[in-house]
Amino acid sequence: MEENILNVLNNNKIIPAKIREARIARGLSLKELSEKVGVTSQAISQYELGTSIPSAVIFLNLVNELEFPSTFFYQETAVNNIISNSATYFRSNKNISKKVKDALKIRIQWLDNINEYMLKYVNLPIADLPNFDDLLDDEEFNRIAIEEIALRLREYWKLGESPITNMVNLLQKKGFVISKIKFNNKKIDAFSQWYNGKPYIVLGNDKGSAVRSRFDLAHELGHLIMHKNINQEDLSNKIVLDRIEKEADMFAAAFLLPLTSFNKEVISSSINHFTILKKRWKVSIAAMIRRCQDGEILTDNQIRYLKSQMIKEGYYKKEPLDDEIEGEMPYLFKQVFNLLLDNNLLNKSEILDQISLNSDEAETIFCLEPGYFESESKPIILAQIK
């Protein structure tokens, strides 16, 4: 490690912007990082601007405190685009700090860097969406328009009106890049962004509910389709933010629970019946009740009864089947890495060097099992060698 650091410093290979990227990724201010490293805030600022180069001791402290390998700081990636100007949609509660959001946005840049690198070796699915121009002219969407967008997408993807078996599998096949990471923040469920012409969705893997994660995916899909013309500045407007969150929720419900077919299956207003429906549709009972309310499938009295039962049984906190319905894990990156390994195009050390993250973080963001970079890998499906 120390020899690598000396080589980096002696050859003046440090890319100043990568120091800033690492600091932002860890959610640290200049002052907070300076206190950890043992220098002034001004010194950290100078390192990030390139007007000063850290000594070997200071650089070692930066590597250790920020928990990045030394290779991270001299890898030439899209360093000028650390925080993309395209809108990032956060499925979250209110009052998420800019520091936290910026730290998470960088994960999409990391995903994109490796996605671009993989394209040198394999063919990957590209975003496959129908033309919605005639429906996306308006800034705001009413329920009818959203239902039409969801229906058209189902028709284009030839899904029929049946439950979607696996949302992760579906979206990966349609060119969406998906990751699951631990947010360590109860306020955030998921976020998404069009980056470098590709749709990215990052889910939380610490929520413990497969059906909630599926709804999050559909919600983010709604943002990526309906709100491409929303910029980051627009999202600072609470009225705009509340509106697009509501629209994305309506889209998710319409996409997962098409009215014409779901309506036929709602034959009772008992919680037990909705538990059966949950197993089939893989949508939460709470979301199905809301769908019945908005779609006027049940009467107001039936909706009130169901909600009272949800409160009585404590189901707004944890529903039946939450521990039984299996979660859906993204597998695209693992598949490609295994293809590269099995065809002797790269070894695990070379892949990890290209990723330039510590192994634990790489395994998390690319949805690999713990110890992946120490164990043997096996082949799987989505990509084809060029």
Side-chain angles (χ1 to χ4, degrees), residues 219-256:
H219 177 100
E220 298 304 324
L221 174 61
H223 278 315
L224 292 167
I225 290 172
M226 298 187 296
H227 304 132
K228 289 181 69 173
N229 295 327
I230 298 285
N231 60 44
Q232 200 64 49
E233 186 177 347
D234 292 333
L235 296 184
S236 63
N237 184 319
K238 184 180 182 300
I239 294 174
V240 173
L241 182 59
D242 288 346
R243 173 177 62 78
I244 68 169
E245 283 295 293
K246 183 178 179 181
E247 290 171 351
D249 273 344
M250 286 192 289
F251 171 86
F255 185 68
L256 293 171

Side-chain angles (χ1 to χ4, degrees), residues 13-211:
K13 290 182 177 180
I14 294 176
I15 299 174
K18 297 294 285 186
I19 299 177
R20 178 173 180 266
E21 179 182 339
R23 174 177 62 79
I24 292 173
R26 297 300 181 232
L28 297 172
S29 67
L30 288 168
K31 184 175 186 298
E32 289 167 337
L33 180 57
S34 70
E35 290 173 351
K36 289 177 176 293
V37 174
V39 296
T40 64
S41 301
Q42 290 82 359
I44 298 293
S45 179
Q46 289 170 356
Y47 302 153
E48 294 183 356
L49 293 171
T51 57
S52 177
I53 300 173
S55 67
V57 172
I58 297 302
F59 185 54
L60 178 60
N61 288 344
L62 285 169
V63 168
N64 290 335
E65 292 295 338
L66 293 169
E67 297 184 76
F68 286 97
S70 59
T71 54
F72 176 88
F73 296 93
Y74 63 80
Q75 185 187 61
E76 293 187 10
T77 56
V79 294
N80 293 323
N81 202 14
I82 290 175
I83 302 298
S84 173
N85 289 326
S86 61
T88 308
Y89 316 103
F90 282 89
R91 178 161 172 73
S92 61
N93 296 322
K94 305 296 185 289
N95 302 320
I96 307 299
S97 71
K98 183 178 183 299
K99 183 190 293 186
V100 170
K101 288 181 178 179
D102 286 348
L104 291 173
K105 288 177 188 179
I106 285 179
R107 272 64 184 175
I108 288 183
Q109 177 187 308
W110 295 346
L111 290 167
D112 188 70
N113 286 338
I114 300 306
N115 194 78
E116 286 293 301
Y117 179 73
M118 294 188 307
L119 288 172
K120 298 178 182 178
Y121 298 95
V122 300
N123 294 314
L124 297 173
I126 61 174
D128 181 21
L129 292 167
N131 189 323
F132 291 113
D133 288 349
D134 59 316
L135 295 171
L136 301 181
D137 287 340
D138 298 330
E139 288 187 6
E140 298 185 31
F141 300 96
N142 59 34
R143 187 171 299 281
I144 294 173
I146 291 173
E147 294 283 345
E148 176 61 27
I149 292 170
L151 178 61
R152 187 179 298 185
L153 183 60
R154 272 184 163 262
E155 290 176 346
Y156 182 79
W157 283 349
K158 296 180 172 58
L159 300 176
E161 295 185 340
S162 300
I164 297 170
T165 304
N166 189 308
M167 278 289 292
V168 166
N169 187 48
L170 171 65
L171 294 186
Q172 286 187 144
K173 286 182 176 179
K174 300 304 178 183
F176 289 74
V177 183
I178 303 171
S179 176
K180 267 191 174 185
I181 64 175
K182 193 168 185 177
F183 292 139
N184 294 318
N185 190 317
K186 294 181 179 180
K187 295 181 178 180
I188 302 171
D189 293 315
F191 63 99
S192 60
Q193 183 182 26
W194 282 96
Y195 192 102
N196 199 15
K198 295 183 287 293
Y200 287 88
I201 300 175
V202 180
L203 302 169
N205 67 2
D206 46 1
K207 301 302 178 183
S209 170
V211 295

Side-chain angles (χ1 to χ4, degrees), residues 308-322:
S308 70
Q309 291 301 298
M310 290 287 286
I311 293 170
K312 178 183 176 182
E313 301 294 337
Y315 287 166
Y316 281 116
K317 292 183 178 179
K318 186 174 183 178
E319 293 186 358
L321 302 181
D322 275 352

